[in-house]
Amino acid sequence: MRAAVYGGPGDIRLEDRPEPEIDNSTDAVIRITHTAVCGSDLWFYRGDDEPETGSRVGHEPMGIVEEVGDDVRNVEPGDRVFAPFAISCGECEFCRKGTQTACTNGGFWGPEGEVGGAQAEKLHVPQANGTLVRVPDRYADNEEVLEALLPLTDVMGTGHHAAVCADVGAGDTAVVIGDGAVGLCGVIASKRLGTERIIAVGHHEDRLELAEELGATDTVASTGQAAIEEIQELTHGGANHVLECVGAESSLETAAAVVRPGGNIGYVGVPHIDDPSFLEPLFFSNASFTGGPAPTRAYAEELMEDVLQGTLDPSPIFTRTVDLNGVSEGYEAMDEREAIKVLVKVNE
Amino acid sequence: MRAAVYGGPGDIRLEDRPEPEIDNSTDAVIRITHTAVCGSDLWFYRGDDEPETGSRVGHEPMGIVEEVGDDVRNVEPGDRVFAPFAISCGECEFCRKGTQTACTNGGFWGPEGEVGGAQAEKLHVPQANGTLVRVPDRYADNEEVLEALLPLTDVMGTGHHAAVCADVGAGDTAVVIGDGAVGLCGVIASKRLGTERIIAVGHHEDRLELAEELGATDTVASTGQAAIEEIQELTHGGANHVLECVGAESSLETAAAVVRPGGNIGYVGVPHIDDPSFLEPLFFSNASFTGGPAPTRAYAEELMEDVLQGTLDPSPIFTRTVDLNGVSEGYEAMDEREAIKVLVKVNE
């Protein structure tokens, strides 16, 4: 079967790999039908991370179950399923607690793990009972629904995690920093949770326009001190709820500068910083700073329910669609910011 | 009247200053009877901060009300009172919310503010209605009670804030990093909130012994990676509740390394760091990181109630007592770690 692998910075290629097999009684094998390219895939694409050459890539799998081990009870061959970027058993302390990204039996797809990547024709799924989320049969072949569900594997759950960590709720004012796919999902999540005012902060006019379509009531396109002042003015001294959806020094500085004293920052971008100067204003704001890799598995059923009833649709973040042969082109389009997020349709 | 002032690094001296007066109708003037030297006073004493020479110092006032402005209703001349290190009106959004350190009408005593320092014979108190906490008459001259109440001006409220931010509760396991006065108060606060197991982490055998007397069930005297491994072993993989009571790079690194995934870090030391590498393990732990300058005013009544009924006594942190003439000696003893915290009795 064919799988996308890392060939070096800027080099994603398809290679033939062995068909995945059932190794343990809790495994499943799925035939991928939909997957995506993630902003975090750009880290290795740009050379910021350096996985081993030949590592399989992709961590947002959706597909059809082909085979299951003897102890898999939750899904059976033929089921349409998707899976969060983190493998999770569903039974350990951390899965029970809703922190599945720390599952004691878990792991990750893509170059960080040894399980395989989701940008491929097939995927080996450990801990299938916990990891796989089954799409109800009546929606299992509805393409529109499937494309709205696919972001639940990562970015939609991540935007939701930012909103949950920022403690947003009905009637609140939230600032969402970042206009990438996660920031846009942060806007969607904030709106879904009843936030009354959503201020989207970013660099790209077209993405901020999309943010408005998705629920942002205000947009801020400036940067640095100008952005901080604009947000401070819009919020009369800061917002109680800030979603930091980037992880860069400047976005953390903005978050710490615009959070209202005693407020809450949810952050979901891995902090990539050298200068920790945002910590001093963070401290003096007495704000909470909560986040991490999103336990998207914890949110999957809740978010799926809304997708199925038609009240949640993050699919507008997919601004380009490719097939497996086009994965490399998909990375390029995201790297050059020509696409917000790329949907990959496999095995069609 | 005499007041302690900053004369330069290592130089605290008494100088004559004008008697404080009522400038606004919400002011009070108090005659200081008790105050203290704080670990944070050592920042300027050691030259880490550089306030203006001649600035008045001290921010932990207790005394007798001498005079009040026309709009002061909560206290009257003759009352025994104490005040948190932050001035607060009690009426603004942030005071109502319990984040009095961000009071829109507030300020701070000591060299950061322009109001005066508490290591003095008298003190000008702005916003007296919100700022001053009245000690009930029947306890107003009970020296034992007063010495147990004095830490509520700062360190006891700060240790309690760390515990609240770390979300400790009955039956929990908490790790308290730091064996200074704040860390010891963090131990006391954790015990008071019902924590079952308290692991105190520090460098000084005598202070860790005191931590045990105050409620710690385990102590860790090692540092760096050895401390992390010891705590990981004691907690079988990390604690859900970590009180970071120092603010140094190493203590933040320890906190991020020993918090259990999905747990909570409460931090109350101003982060003094150059290298932000604790942020990556913090992120991957999905732990909350919450803290700031403690709104000790928010906790004053609750903690005072326990002191008055005899179930809370932080006074063992005072290991030396001086009079106003001895303030300089008090700084020296704390700087050389000969005293944990110094009580200053004034006007006796």
Side-chain angles (χ1 to χ4, degrees), chain A residues 93 97 101-102 161 240 260-261 274 276 283 286 288-293, chain B residues 93 97 101-102 161 240 260-261 274 276 283 286 288-293:
Chain A
E93 169 190 348
K97 190 180 179 179
T101 45
H161 190 52
N240 279 316
R260 204 169 186 84
D274 296 317
F283 177 83
N286 246 310
S288 71
F289 182 68
T290 307
Chain B
E93 169 190 347
K97 189 179 179 179
T101 45
H161 191 52
N240 280 316
R260 205 168 184 85
D274 296 316
F283 177 83
N286 247 310
S288 72
F289 181 68
T290 307

PDB file of all heavy atoms in Angstrom, chain A residues 93 97 101-102 161 240 260-261 274 276 283 286 288-293, chain B residues 93 97 101-102 161 240 260-261 274 276 283 286 288-293:
ATOM      1  N   GLU A  93      -6.327   5.844  34.060  1.00  0.00           N
ATOM      2  CA  GLU A  93      -6.638   7.038  34.861  1.00  0.00           C
ATOM      3  C   GLU A  93      -6.818   8.277  33.990  1.00  0.00           C
ATOM      4  O   GLU A  93      -7.753   9.052  34.178  1.00  0.00           O
ATOM      5  CB  GLU A  93      -5.477   7.276  35.847  1.00  0.00           C
ATOM      6  CG  GLU A  93      -5.515   8.612  36.566  1.00  0.00           C
ATOM      7  CD  GLU A  93      -4.230   8.897  37.348  1.00  0.00           C
ATOM      8  OE1 GLU A  93      -3.406   7.970  37.523  1.00  0.00           O
ATOM      9  OE2 GLU A  93      -4.048  10.055  37.767  1.00  0.00           O
ATOM     10  N   LYS A  97     -10.120  10.511  33.069  1.00  0.00           N
ATOM     11  CA  LYS A  97     -10.120  11.907  33.514  1.00  0.00           C
ATOM     12  C   LYS A  97     -10.350  12.873  32.350  1.00  0.00           C
ATOM     13  O   LYS A  97     -10.521  14.061  32.563  1.00  0.00           O
ATOM     14  CB  LYS A  97      -8.741  12.157  34.138  1.00  0.00           C
ATOM     15  CG  LYS A  97      -8.538  13.433  34.869  1.00  0.00           C
ATOM     16  CD  LYS A  97      -7.105  13.465  35.396  1.00  0.00           C
ATOM     17  CE  LYS A  97      -6.816  14.750  36.128  1.00  0.00           C
ATOM     18  NZ  LYS A  97      -5.439  14.767  36.658  1.00  0.00           N
ATOM     19  N   THR A 101      -4.573  12.425  25.979  1.00  0.00           N
ATOM     20  CA  THR A 101      -3.250  12.626  25.386  1.00  0.00           C
ATOM     21  C   THR A 101      -2.145  12.104  26.304  1.00  0.00           C
ATOM     22  O   THR A 101      -0.999  11.988  25.888  1.00  0.00           O
ATOM     23  CB  THR A 101      -2.999  14.120  25.107  1.00  0.00           C
ATOM     24  OG1 THR A 101      -3.426  14.864  26.257  1.00  0.00           O
ATOM     25  CG2 THR A 101      -3.796  14.585  23.903  1.00  0.00           C
ATOM     26  N   ALA A 102      -2.489  11.810  27.547  1.00  0.00           N
ATOM     27  CA  ALA A 102      -1.515  11.242  28.490  1.00  0.00           C
ATOM     28  C   ALA A 102      -1.812   9.766  28.754  1.00  0.00           C
ATOM     29  O   ALA A 102      -1.287   9.194  29.711  1.00  0.00           O
ATOM     30  CB  ALA A 102      -1.545  12.034  29.801  1.00  0.00           C
ATOM     31  N   HIS A 161     -10.742  22.829  22.852  1.00  0.00           N
ATOM     32  CA  HIS A 161      -9.917  22.732  24.075  1.00  0.00           C
ATOM     33  C   HIS A 161      -9.465  24.129  24.509  1.00  0.00           C
ATOM     34  O   HIS A 161      -9.491  24.461  25.698  1.00  0.00           O
ATOM     35  CB  HIS A 161      -8.710  21.848  23.794  1.00  0.00           C
ATOM     36  CG  HIS A 161      -7.912  21.463  25.005  1.00  0.00           C
ATOM     37  ND1 HIS A 161      -8.479  20.899  26.132  1.00  0.00           N
ATOM     38  CD2 HIS A 161      -6.577  21.544  25.276  1.00  0.00           C
ATOM     39  CE1 HIS A 161      -7.533  20.648  27.036  1.00  0.00           C
ATOM     40  NE2 HIS A 161      -6.377  21.037  26.546  1.00  0.00           N
ATOM     41  N   ASN A 240     -11.860  38.597  29.658  1.00  0.00           N
ATOM     42  CA  ASN A 240     -11.747  37.534  30.664  1.00  0.00           C
ATOM     43  C   ASN A 240     -11.369  36.186  30.057  1.00  0.00           C
ATOM     44  O   ASN A 240     -10.964  35.275  30.780  1.00  0.00           O
ATOM     45  CB  ASN A 240     -13.062  37.393  31.431  1.00  0.00           C
ATOM     46  CG  ASN A 240     -13.190  38.442  32.517  1.00  0.00           C
ATOM     47  OD1 ASN A 240     -12.228  38.692  33.243  1.00  0.00           O
ATOM     48  ND2 ASN A 240     -14.346  39.061  32.634  1.00  0.00           N
ATOM     49  N   ARG A 260      -7.864  40.018  30.964  1.00  0.00           N
ATOM     50  CA  ARG A 260      -8.344  40.883  32.045  1.00  0.00           C
ATOM     51  C   ARG A 260      -7.858  40.298  33.374  1.00  0.00           C
ATOM     52  O   ARG A 260      -7.798  39.071  33.520  1.00  0.00           O
ATOM     53  CB  ARG A 260      -9.867  40.894  32.014  1.00  0.00           C
ATOM     54  CG  ARG A 260     -10.503  42.106  32.639  1.00  0.00           C
ATOM     55  CD  ARG A 260     -12.001  42.141  32.304  1.00  0.00           C
ATOM     56  NE  ARG A 260     -12.610  43.355  32.779  1.00  0.00           N
ATOM     57  CZ  ARG A 260     -12.617  44.508  32.129  1.00  0.00           C
ATOM     58  NH1 ARG A 260     -12.036  44.588  30.939  1.00  0.00           N
ATOM     59  NH2 ARG A 260     -13.197  45.576  32.641  1.00  0.00           N
ATOM     60  N   PRO A 261      -7.526  41.136  34.352  1.00  0.00           N
ATOM     61  CA  PRO A 261      -7.068  40.575  35.635  1.00  0.00           C
ATOM     62  C   PRO A 261      -8.046  39.517  36.175  1.00  0.00           C
ATOM     63  O   PRO A 261      -9.261  39.728  36.154  1.00  0.00           O
ATOM     64  CB  PRO A 261      -7.015  41.802  36.541  1.00  0.00           C
ATOM     65  CG  PRO A 261      -6.692  42.923  35.613  1.00  0.00           C
ATOM     66  CD  PRO A 261      -7.446  42.612  34.343  1.00  0.00           C
ATOM     67  N   ASP A 274      11.863  31.756  22.990  1.00  0.00           N
ATOM     68  CA  ASP A 274      13.172  31.892  23.638  1.00  0.00           C
ATOM     69  C   ASP A 274      13.089  32.859  24.811  1.00  0.00           C
ATOM     70  O   ASP A 274      13.754  32.698  25.812  1.00  0.00           O
ATOM     71  CB  ASP A 274      14.207  32.440  22.641  1.00  0.00           C
ATOM     72  CG  ASP A 274      14.436  31.462  21.504  1.00  0.00           C
ATOM     73  OD1 ASP A 274      14.538  30.255  21.776  1.00  0.00           O
ATOM     74  OD2 ASP A 274      14.494  31.913  20.339  1.00  0.00           O
ATOM     75  N   PRO A 276      11.056  34.568  27.735  1.00  0.00           N
ATOM     76  CA  PRO A 276       9.857  34.311  28.549  1.00  0.00           C
ATOM     77  C   PRO A 276       9.219  35.575  29.107  1.00  0.00           C
ATOM     78  O   PRO A 276       8.553  35.524  30.137  1.00  0.00           O
ATOM     79  CB  PRO A 276      10.424  33.454  29.678  1.00  0.00           C
ATOM     80  CG  PRO A 276      11.819  33.973  29.862  1.00  0.00           C
ATOM     81  CD  PRO A 276      12.294  34.468  28.513  1.00  0.00           C
ATOM     82  N   PHE A 283       1.762  36.842  35.218  1.00  0.00           N
ATOM     83  CA  PHE A 283       1.729  36.744  36.677  1.00  0.00           C
ATOM     84  C   PHE A 283       0.910  37.889  37.272  1.00  0.00           C
ATOM     85  O   PHE A 283      -0.003  37.667  38.067  1.00  0.00           O
ATOM     86  CB  PHE A 283       3.157  36.767  37.228  1.00  0.00           C
ATOM     87  CG  PHE A 283       3.233  36.733  38.729  1.00  0.00           C
ATOM     88  CD1 PHE A 283       3.152  35.528  39.414  1.00  0.00           C
ATOM     89  CD2 PHE A 283       3.384  37.904  39.467  1.00  0.00           C
ATOM     90  CE1 PHE A 283       3.207  35.487  40.804  1.00  0.00           C
ATOM     91  CE2 PHE A 283       3.429  37.872  40.854  1.00  0.00           C
ATOM     92  CZ  PHE A 283       3.351  36.662  41.521  1.00  0.00           C
ATOM     93  N   ASN A 286      -2.831  37.793  37.296  1.00  0.00           N
ATOM     94  CA  ASN A 286      -3.525  36.771  38.084  1.00  0.00           C
ATOM     95  C   ASN A 286      -4.467  35.937  37.215  1.00  0.00           C
ATOM     96  O   ASN A 286      -5.524  35.480  37.675  1.00  0.00           O
ATOM     97  CB  ASN A 286      -4.312  37.409  39.235  1.00  0.00           C
ATOM     98  CG  ASN A 286      -3.739  37.023  40.593  1.00  0.00           C
ATOM     99  OD1 ASN A 286      -3.520  35.839  40.868  1.00  0.00           O
ATOM    100  ND2 ASN A 286      -3.481  38.012  41.419  1.00  0.00           N
ATOM    101  N   SER A 288      -5.358  32.589  34.808  1.00  0.00           N
ATOM    102  CA  SER A 288      -4.954  31.199  34.641  1.00  0.00           C
ATOM    103  C   SER A 288      -4.438  31.002  33.225  1.00  0.00           C
ATOM    104  O   SER A 288      -4.839  31.700  32.293  1.00  0.00           O
ATOM    105  CB  SER A 288      -6.123  30.256  34.917  1.00  0.00           C
ATOM    106  OG  SER A 288      -7.063  30.339  33.879  1.00  0.00           O
ATOM    107  N   PHE A 289      -3.522  30.058  33.094  1.00  0.00           N
ATOM    108  CA  PHE A 289      -2.874  29.759  31.816  1.00  0.00           C
ATOM    109  C   PHE A 289      -2.955  28.244  31.675  1.00  0.00           C
ATOM    110  O   PHE A 289      -2.245  27.510  32.356  1.00  0.00           O
ATOM    111  CB  PHE A 289      -1.420  30.258  31.892  1.00  0.00           C
ATOM    112  CG  PHE A 289      -0.600  30.089  30.649  1.00  0.00           C
ATOM    113  CD1 PHE A 289      -0.886  30.816  29.501  1.00  0.00           C
ATOM    114  CD2 PHE A 289       0.488  29.222  30.628  1.00  0.00           C
ATOM    115  CE1 PHE A 289      -0.103  30.684  28.366  1.00  0.00           C
ATOM    116  CE2 PHE A 289       1.276  29.088  29.489  1.00  0.00           C
ATOM    117  CZ  PHE A 289       0.981  29.821  28.355  1.00  0.00           C
ATOM    118  N   THR A 290      -3.885  27.809  30.869  1.00  0.00           N
ATOM    119  CA  THR A 290      -4.211  26.385  30.845  1.00  0.00           C
ATOM    120  C   THR A 290      -4.276  25.880  29.415  1.00  0.00           C
ATOM    121  O   THR A 290      -4.868  26.526  28.554  1.00  0.00           O
ATOM    122  CB  THR A 290      -5.587  26.152  31.512  1.00  0.00           C
ATOM    123  OG1 THR A 290      -5.584  26.757  32.805  1.00  0.00           O
ATOM    124  CG2 THR A 290      -5.876  24.674  31.665  1.00  0.00           C
ATOM    125  N   GLY A 291      -3.681  24.753  29.176  1.00  0.00           N
ATOM    126  CA  GLY A 291      -3.761  24.181  27.845  1.00  0.00           C
ATOM    127  C   GLY A 291      -2.858  22.997  27.692  1.00  0.00           C
ATOM    128  O   GLY A 291      -2.399  22.413  28.678  1.00  0.00           O
ATOM    129  N   GLY A 292      -2.595  22.674  26.449  1.00  0.00           N
ATOM    130  CA  GLY A 292      -1.795  21.509  26.149  1.00  0.00           C
ATOM    131  C   GLY A 292      -2.308  20.870  24.883  1.00  0.00           C
ATOM    132  O   GLY A 292      -3.197  21.418  24.219  1.00  0.00           O
ATOM    133  N   PRO A 293      -1.739  19.707  24.545  1.00  0.00           N
ATOM    134  CA  PRO A 293      -2.256  18.990  23.381  1.00  0.00           C
ATOM    135  C   PRO A 293      -3.699  18.587  23.676  1.00  0.00           C
ATOM    136  O   PRO A 293      -3.985  17.998  24.718  1.00  0.00           O
ATOM    137  CB  PRO A 293      -1.343  17.764  23.284  1.00  0.00           C
ATOM    138  CG  PRO A 293      -0.725  17.615  24.635  1.00  0.00           C
ATOM    139  CD  PRO A 293      -0.685  18.975  25.255  1.00  0.00           C
TER     140      PRO A 293
ATOM    141  N   GLU B  93     -14.844  46.400  39.974  1.00  0.00           N
ATOM    142  CA  GLU B  93     -15.023  45.082  39.353  1.00  0.00           C
ATOM    143  C   GLU B  93     -14.050  44.047  39.933  1.00  0.00           C
ATOM    144  O   GLU B  93     -14.444  42.926  40.238  1.00  0.00           O
ATOM    145  CB  GLU B  93     -14.784  45.227  37.838  1.00  0.00           C
ATOM    146  CG  GLU B  93     -14.666  43.907  37.095  1.00  0.00           C
ATOM    147  CD  GLU B  93     -14.198  44.098  35.651  1.00  0.00           C
ATOM    148  OE1 GLU B  93     -14.194  45.238  35.146  1.00  0.00           O
ATOM    149  OE2 GLU B  93     -13.835  43.085  35.021  1.00  0.00           O
ATOM    150  N   LYS B  97     -14.662  40.759  42.326  1.00  0.00           N
ATOM    151  CA  LYS B  97     -14.314  39.464  41.755  1.00  0.00           C
ATOM    152  C   LYS B  97     -13.310  38.712  42.616  1.00  0.00           C
ATOM    153  O   LYS B  97     -13.015  37.542  42.374  1.00  0.00           O
ATOM    154  CB  LYS B  97     -13.699  39.750  40.370  1.00  0.00           C
ATOM    155  CG  LYS B  97     -13.446  38.583  39.481  1.00  0.00           C
ATOM    156  CD  LYS B  97     -12.862  39.106  38.161  1.00  0.00           C
ATOM    157  CE  LYS B  97     -12.544  37.967  37.214  1.00  0.00           C
ATOM    158  NZ  LYS B  97     -12.018  38.486  35.939  1.00  0.00           N
ATOM    159  N   THR B 101      -5.776  42.689  43.959  1.00  0.00           N
ATOM    160  CA  THR B 101      -4.460  43.196  43.548  1.00  0.00           C
ATOM    161  C   THR B 101      -4.556  43.994  42.251  1.00  0.00           C
ATOM    162  O   THR B 101      -3.603  44.668  41.880  1.00  0.00           O
ATOM    163  CB  THR B 101      -3.486  42.026  43.352  1.00  0.00           C
ATOM    164  OG1 THR B 101      -4.155  40.987  42.618  1.00  0.00           O
ATOM    165  CG2 THR B 101      -3.049  41.472  44.695  1.00  0.00           C
ATOM    166  N   ALA B 102      -5.694  43.886  41.555  1.00  0.00           N
ATOM    167  CA  ALA B 102      -5.898  44.653  40.321  1.00  0.00           C
ATOM    168  C   ALA B 102      -6.898  45.785  40.542  1.00  0.00           C
ATOM    169  O   ALA B 102      -7.404  46.361  39.580  1.00  0.00           O
ATOM    170  CB  ALA B 102      -6.394  43.727  39.203  1.00  0.00           C
ATOM    171  N   HIS B 161      -3.298  31.322  48.479  1.00  0.00           N
ATOM    172  CA  HIS B 161      -3.563  31.558  47.051  1.00  0.00           C
ATOM    173  C   HIS B 161      -2.929  30.460  46.206  1.00  0.00           C
ATOM    174  O   HIS B 161      -3.542  29.962  45.251  1.00  0.00           O
ATOM    175  CB  HIS B 161      -2.992  32.933  46.662  1.00  0.00           C
ATOM    176  CG  HIS B 161      -3.409  33.420  45.305  1.00  0.00           C
ATOM    177  ND1 HIS B 161      -4.721  33.473  44.902  1.00  0.00           N
ATOM    178  CD2 HIS B 161      -2.679  33.879  44.239  1.00  0.00           C
ATOM    179  CE1 HIS B 161      -4.783  33.961  43.656  1.00  0.00           C
ATOM    180  NE2 HIS B 161      -3.557  34.203  43.239  1.00  0.00           N
ATOM    181  N   ASN B 240      -1.364  15.779  41.358  1.00  0.00           N
ATOM    182  CA  ASN B 240      -2.380  16.609  40.699  1.00  0.00           C
ATOM    183  C   ASN B 240      -2.335  18.058  41.151  1.00  0.00           C
ATOM    184  O   ASN B 240      -2.919  18.925  40.506  1.00  0.00           O
ATOM    185  CB  ASN B 240      -3.776  16.030  40.958  1.00  0.00           C
ATOM    186  CG  ASN B 240      -4.081  14.868  40.033  1.00  0.00           C
ATOM    187  OD1 ASN B 240      -3.795  14.942  38.840  1.00  0.00           O
ATOM    188  ND2 ASN B 240      -4.637  13.800  40.570  1.00  0.00           N
ATOM    189  N   ARG B 260       1.035  16.052  37.638  1.00  0.00           N
ATOM    190  CA  ARG B 260       0.424  14.902  36.964  1.00  0.00           C
ATOM    191  C   ARG B 260      -0.351  15.404  35.747  1.00  0.00           C
ATOM    192  O   ARG B 260      -0.940  16.489  35.803  1.00  0.00           O
ATOM    193  CB  ARG B 260      -0.532  14.222  37.948  1.00  0.00           C
ATOM    194  CG  ARG B 260      -0.804  12.766  37.687  1.00  0.00           C
ATOM    195  CD  ARG B 260      -1.519  12.144  38.880  1.00  0.00           C
ATOM    196  NE  ARG B 260      -1.706  10.715  38.699  1.00  0.00           N
ATOM    197  CZ  ARG B 260      -0.802   9.804  39.003  1.00  0.00           C
ATOM    198  NH1 ARG B 260       0.354  10.176  39.527  1.00  0.00           N
ATOM    199  NH2 ARG B 260      -1.040   8.519  38.788  1.00  0.00           N
ATOM    200  N   PRO B 261      -0.372  14.647  34.649  1.00  0.00           N
ATOM    201  CA  PRO B 261      -1.122  15.140  33.483  1.00  0.00           C
ATOM    202  C   PRO B 261      -2.553  15.553  33.853  1.00  0.00           C
ATOM    203  O   PRO B 261      -3.240  14.842  34.594  1.00  0.00           O
ATOM    204  CB  PRO B 261      -1.112  13.923  32.550  1.00  0.00           C
ATOM    205  CG  PRO B 261       0.175  13.228  32.866  1.00  0.00           C
ATOM    206  CD  PRO B 261       0.330  13.386  34.363  1.00  0.00           C
ATOM    207  N   ASP B 274      15.174  33.310  32.791  1.00  0.00           N
ATOM    208  CA  ASP B 274      15.676  33.645  31.457  1.00  0.00           C
ATOM    209  C   ASP B 274      15.312  32.563  30.459  1.00  0.00           C
ATOM    210  O   ASP B 274      15.040  32.829  29.300  1.00  0.00           O
ATOM    211  CB  ASP B 274      17.208  33.781  31.482  1.00  0.00           C
ATOM    212  CG  ASP B 274      17.643  34.934  32.361  1.00  0.00           C
ATOM    213  OD1 ASP B 274      17.016  36.004  32.262  1.00  0.00           O
ATOM    214  OD2 ASP B 274      18.594  34.758  33.148  1.00  0.00           O
ATOM    215  N   PRO B 276      12.916  29.677  29.210  1.00  0.00           N
ATOM    216  CA  PRO B 276      11.514  29.253  29.375  1.00  0.00           C
ATOM    217  C   PRO B 276      11.300  27.762  29.141  1.00  0.00           C
ATOM    218  O   PRO B 276      10.203  27.353  28.800  1.00  0.00           O
ATOM    219  CB  PRO B 276      10.805  30.072  28.301  1.00  0.00           C
ATOM    220  CG  PRO B 276      11.810  30.176  27.195  1.00  0.00           C
ATOM    221  CD  PRO B 276      13.179  30.164  27.847  1.00  0.00           C
ATOM    222  N   PHE B 283       3.215  22.363  28.911  1.00  0.00           N
ATOM    223  CA  PHE B 283       2.235  22.195  27.833  1.00  0.00           C
ATOM    224  C   PHE B 283       1.835  20.729  27.709  1.00  0.00           C
ATOM    225  O   PHE B 283       0.656  20.393  27.729  1.00  0.00           O
ATOM    226  CB  PHE B 283       2.832  22.711  26.514  1.00  0.00           C
ATOM    227  CG  PHE B 283       1.928  22.530  25.328  1.00  0.00           C
ATOM    228  CD1 PHE B 283       0.931  23.450  25.058  1.00  0.00           C
ATOM    229  CD2 PHE B 283       2.068  21.436  24.478  1.00  0.00           C
ATOM    230  CE1 PHE B 283       0.089  23.287  23.964  1.00  0.00           C
ATOM    231  CE2 PHE B 283       1.231  21.262  23.384  1.00  0.00           C
ATOM    232  CZ  PHE B 283       0.239  22.189  23.127  1.00  0.00           C
ATOM    233  N   ASN B 286      -0.641  19.162  30.026  1.00  0.00           N
ATOM    234  CA  ASN B 286      -2.032  19.632  30.034  1.00  0.00           C
ATOM    235  C   ASN B 286      -2.461  20.112  31.428  1.00  0.00           C
ATOM    236  O   ASN B 286      -3.622  19.979  31.827  1.00  0.00           O
ATOM    237  CB  ASN B 286      -2.984  18.537  29.548  1.00  0.00           C
ATOM    238  CG  ASN B 286      -3.630  18.896  28.220  1.00  0.00           C
ATOM    239  OD1 ASN B 286      -4.162  19.985  28.070  1.00  0.00           O
ATOM    240  ND2 ASN B 286      -3.559  17.992  27.275  1.00  0.00           N
ATOM    241  N   SER B 288      -2.994  23.068  34.377  1.00  0.00           N
ATOM    242  CA  SER B 288      -3.237  24.505  34.475  1.00  0.00           C
ATOM    243  C   SER B 288      -2.105  25.144  35.275  1.00  0.00           C
ATOM    244  O   SER B 288      -1.491  24.508  36.134  1.00  0.00           O
ATOM    245  CB  SER B 288      -4.579  24.784  35.151  1.00  0.00           C
ATOM    246  OG  SER B 288      -4.508  24.480  36.525  1.00  0.00           O
ATOM    247  N   PHE B 289      -1.844  26.394  34.954  1.00  0.00           N
ATOM    248  CA  PHE B 289      -0.756  27.151  35.587  1.00  0.00           C
ATOM    249  C   PHE B 289      -1.388  28.479  35.985  1.00  0.00           C
ATOM    250  O   PHE B 289      -1.675  29.332  35.138  1.00  0.00           O
ATOM    251  CB  PHE B 289       0.357  27.326  34.547  1.00  0.00           C
ATOM    252  CG  PHE B 289       1.583  28.052  35.011  1.00  0.00           C
ATOM    253  CD1 PHE B 289       2.432  27.482  35.947  1.00  0.00           C
ATOM    254  CD2 PHE B 289       1.914  29.296  34.469  1.00  0.00           C
ATOM    255  CE1 PHE B 289       3.590  28.146  36.346  1.00  0.00           C
ATOM    256  CE2 PHE B 289       3.066  29.960  34.870  1.00  0.00           C
ATOM    257  CZ  PHE B 289       3.913  29.374  35.811  1.00  0.00           C
ATOM    258  N   THR B 290      -1.674  28.594  37.257  1.00  0.00           N
ATOM    259  CA  THR B 290      -2.496  29.717  37.708  1.00  0.00           C
ATOM    260  C   THR B 290      -1.868  30.372  38.920  1.00  0.00           C
ATOM    261  O   THR B 290      -1.439  29.688  39.847  1.00  0.00           O
ATOM    262  CB  THR B 290      -3.910  29.222  38.094  1.00  0.00           C
ATOM    263  OG1 THR B 290      -4.450  28.480  37.005  1.00  0.00           O
ATOM    264  CG2 THR B 290      -4.832  30.378  38.415  1.00  0.00           C
ATOM    265  N   GLY B 291      -1.835  31.667  38.921  1.00  0.00           N
ATOM    266  CA  GLY B 291      -1.297  32.355  40.087  1.00  0.00           C
ATOM    267  C   GLY B 291      -1.133  33.825  39.833  1.00  0.00           C
ATOM    268  O   GLY B 291      -1.701  34.373  38.887  1.00  0.00           O
ATOM    269  N   GLY B 292      -0.335  34.435  40.672  1.00  0.00           N
ATOM    270  CA  GLY B 292      -0.132  35.869  40.586  1.00  0.00           C
ATOM    271  C   GLY B 292       0.044  36.414  41.988  1.00  0.00           C
ATOM    272  O   GLY B 292       0.121  35.655  42.967  1.00  0.00           O
ATOM    273  N   PRO B 293       0.122  37.736  42.094  1.00  0.00           N
ATOM    274  CA  PRO B 293       0.195  38.348  43.414  1.00  0.00           C
ATOM    275  C   PRO B 293      -1.105  38.016  44.159  1.00  0.00           C
ATOM    276  O   PRO B 293      -2.184  38.246  43.630  1.00  0.00           O
ATOM    277  CB  PRO B 293       0.304  39.846  43.110  1.00  0.00           C
ATOM    278  CG  PRO B 293      -0.198  40.014  41.715  1.00  0.00           C
ATOM    279  CD  PRO B 293       0.028  38.723  41.002  1.00  0.00           C
TER     280      PRO B 293
END
